[in-house]
Amino acid sequence: MLCCAEKDPCRKITRKVERKKKTTTYKSPETKYAFVIRQIKTDTFFAVLFHFSDEREHFETRGAAITFEDGTEIVDENVEVRCTPERSVFIGSTASASSSSNGGRYVLQAFFRISDHYIGHFATSRIVKVRLHNALQAIPKDDGYQLKTYVNCMMSKN
């Protein structure tokens, strides 16, 4: 009889030690719209980095919210939202060079810190939606479960 054990998702987390900076950084694999990071130095930075595209620009904006499957919403209006134009590349004929332009979309990125107060929620409930400034993005079900799993894997890392 052949038996296959389920692979440990915590093994997918990378660990990088920088001795000169005295930091240890753990990073999860990326899902479609996010990844989890935990950096330990003299203090600990534990966050989810969200990233997605929107058709409107959101330069110099703040504010983020996470909605969980149980309906709980965590809001942090101090989160800085970075916005950059999304690039489209056009390949020309052999007589002309390729070029790039703003495809009319913008990439939004923000670190949402996982505070001690809310860490239990990140570890027990799946993220279903995120808001960066006033742009909303649904998080696919499997990605929400993966993010929850990665938070659980990193909670005890030090």
Side-chain angles (χ1 to χ4, degrees), residues 74-88:
I74 300 173
V75 178
D76 186 345
E77 294 302 338
N78 293 316
V79 169
E80 181 181 343
V81 178
R82 282 184 255 139
C83 178
T84 56
E86 190 174 74
R87 296 286 177 207
S88 297

Side-chain angles (χ1 to χ4, degrees), residues 12-116:
K12 295 179 181 180
I13 293 170
T14 60
R15 178 178 177 248
K16 182 179 179 182
V17 177
E18 294 184 57
R19 295 194 195 290
K20 287 185 180 182
K21 293 182 180 180
K22 297 182 181 177
T23 63
T24 302
T25 304
Y26 297 93
K27 183 180 176 239
S28 76
E30 275 193 57
T31 64
K32 187 170 184 176
Y33 301 111
F35 65 86
V36 181
I37 187 166
R38 184 167 186 179
Q39 187 174 64
I40 302 159
K41 197 171 181 172
T42 52
D43 61 343
T44 299
F45 177 78
F46 197 8
V48 180
L49 174 71
F50 291 101
H51 54 85
F52 58 87
S53 296
D54 191 49
E55 293 170 357
R56 294 168 291 157
E57 61 182 59
H58 301 267
F59 295 116
E60 299 181 28
T61 58
R62 292 188 172 277
I66 295 174
T67 305
F68 294 89
E69 66 186 330
D70 66 0
T72 301
E73 184 177 67
I74 300 173
V75 178
D76 186 345
E77 294 302 338
N78 293 316
V79 169
E80 181 181 343
V81 178
R82 282 184 255 139
C83 178
T84 56
E86 190 174 74
R87 296 286 177 207
S88 297
V89 176
F90 303 101
I91 307 293
S93 67
T94 55
S96 65
S98 64
S99 64
S100 67
S101 71
N102 179 347
R105 297 182 61 81
Y106 298 88
V107 177
L108 307 178
Q109 291 185 7
F111 282 105
F112 196 102
R113 287 189 84 129
I114 301 173
S115 68
D116 289 342

Side-chain angles (χ1 to χ4, degrees), residues 113-124:
R113 287 189 84 129
I114 301 173
S115 68
D116 289 342
H117 184 51
Y118 291 114
I119 195 167
H121 216 82
F122 280 91
T124 60

